[in-house]
Amino acid sequence: MYLSDTKTIVFITGAFISHSCWKEWIVFFRDKGYKTVAPPWPQKNESVEILRNEHPDCKIALLRLPQLIDYYTEIIEKLPEKPILIGHCYGGLLTQLLMQKELAWAGVCIHSVPPQFVLPRKISFYKVIWKPLGFFTSSKKTFLMSFEEWQNSFTNGMSFEEQIISYEQLVLPESKCIFRNVLSKTAKINFKKKHEPLLFLSGSDDTIIPSSLNYCNFKKYKNLHSITCYKEFSGKNHFVLGQPNWEKVALFIVNWIEKVY
């Protein structure tokens, strides 16, 4: 966390990857004057190498969505003020759920996993998510994304060198149950409830969470007294946090915060 005269930002990591994905974002927002914190998920505080060596990891496999909500709630409530939440992928879903609990001053959902009953039309989403759901495998064992899956689902369009480096530095074993929990009432959003400013970001080249799904998620919000915004970036894949020219997305967020502050 860094000290400043402005708001605190809590970066909420998504599934499959290490919280170190926010490393450059922390520096970027620190330089803009924000206090920042990017906590690891429970059971994921060790290095990528250690956590991979422990796969299939029964401790990570025990993770559930309610546990993640409680975990981030506790972190937020210990802060001196309501923060701005910036979440990627599953972290975007967590951002929506934490905003619903009125825990944040504003929220940014980057390529957000959709809440309950917001279903994508593209078959590519179901092809990617089927393995992590692991319905016909043991929930006591973690799922680890292969390099080929990382190439096709997260880092499509990037160079092979960028793909292999990011895979080795970031990809972690994941709980299957956190994805199953998306189908449960824990992941339900009351889209009619008044909320603080909320921004949805999508990428035209995202093959997991296509821009059409992000837009559908955004359009579900119906409260006329709340600020809900949407922006699609051309050429951005799901690994927008580490894709070349990620600063363009980060700067857009900074400018949006300044407008709604």
Side-chain angles (χ1 to χ4, degrees):
M1 185 178 293
Y2 301 89
L3 297 176
S4 74
D5 295 326
T6 55
K7 290 287 183 179
T8 299
I9 291 176
V10 177
F11 292 107
I12 305 181
T13 310
F16 305 117
I17 62 175
S18 165
H19 66 293
S20 61
C21 64
W22 297 108
K23 182 179 179 181
E24 292 180 303
W25 285 64
I26 288 172
V27 174
F28 181 91
F29 280 89
R30 178 199 63 192
D31 290 344
K32 298 297 182 181
Y34 291 91
K35 297 174 285 185
T36 62
V37 58
W41 279 18
Q43 310 299 335
K44 292 187 178 181
N45 200 26
E46 299 289 351
S47 69
V48 171
E49 181 181 7
I50 290 175
L51 292 174
R52 280 195 190 175
N53 287 337
E54 293 179 351
H55 171 70
D57 189 330
C58 62
K59 297 189 296 295
I60 292 178
L62 291 173
L63 280 175
R64 303 290 189 273
L65 176 56
Q67 180 185 358
L68 286 170
I69 294 172
D70 290 344
Y71 170 75
Y72 279 103
T73 297
E74 183 178 357
I75 290 172
I76 291 168
E77 288 181 339
K78 289 180 179 178
L79 296 173
E81 60 181 357
K82 286 187 177 182
I84 299 163
L85 305 181
I86 300 180
H88 173 250
C89 187
Y90 204 95
L93 171 60
L94 287 165
T95 296
Q96 289 182 253
L97 294 169
L98 294 165
M99 291 284 292
Q100 182 168 249
K101 293 182 66 178
E102 302 179 11
L103 291 171
W105 173 83
V108 180
C109 303
I110 305 174
H111 302 220
S112 184
V113 167
Q116 187 190 40
F117 301 137
V118 180
L119 300 175
R121 297 178 181 178
K122 290 191 176 183
I123 195 66
S124 59
F125 173 84
Y126 299 100
K127 287 181 177 179
V128 171
I129 206 67
W130 182 252
K131 278 189 177 181
L133 282 168
F135 283 127
F136 301 108
T137 62
S138 173
S139 62
K140 296 180 181 179
K141 295 182 178 180
T142 47
F143 169 82
L144 181 61
M145 185 182 295
S146 69
F147 175 60
E148 183 179 2
E149 289 164 338
W150 177 255
Q151 284 182 298
N152 296 331
S153 301
F154 268 69
T155 56
N156 51 295
M158 294 169 63
S159 70
F160 179 82
E161 182 180 9
E162 290 169 333
Q163 291 173 331
I164 192 69
I165 290 175
S166 58
Y167 181 81
E168 293 298 332
Q169 289 180 345
L170 295 175
V171 177
L172 299 177
E174 193 53 83
S175 164
K176 299 169 187 175
C177 290
I178 63 165
F179 292 100
R180 299 178 191 179
N181 292 157
V182 174
L183 307 174
S184 72
K185 64 180 181 180
T186 307
K188 185 177 181 180
I189 294 291
N190 179 1
F191 292 105
K192 295 181 180 179
K193 181 179 178 180
K194 187 177 180 180
H195 60 80
E196 298 298 334
L198 187 58
L199 171 65
F200 286 88
L201 300 180
S202 68
S204 64
D205 294 354
D206 192 330
T207 58
I208 300 182
I209 312 292
S211 56
S212 58
L213 178 55
N214 279 271
Y215 187 72
C216 180
N217 196 354
F218 154 73
K219 289 292 289 183
K220 287 284 186 179
Y221 282 86
K222 302 297 184 182
N223 190 284
L224 297 178
H225 303 287
S226 302
I227 297 173
T228 315
C229 304
Y230 174 84
K231 169 69 175 179
E232 177 181 334
F233 285 89
S234 177
K236 292 301 180 184
N237 59 26
H238 195 65
F239 188 53
V240 58
L241 303 184
Q243 194 176 6
N245 298 318
W246 59 266
E247 295 93 341
K248 181 179 179 181
V249 178
L251 184 59
F252 182 90
I253 294 172
V254 169
N255 292 334
W256 178 81
I257 292 171
E258 292 177 353
K259 288 179 182 178
V260 299
Y261 181 49

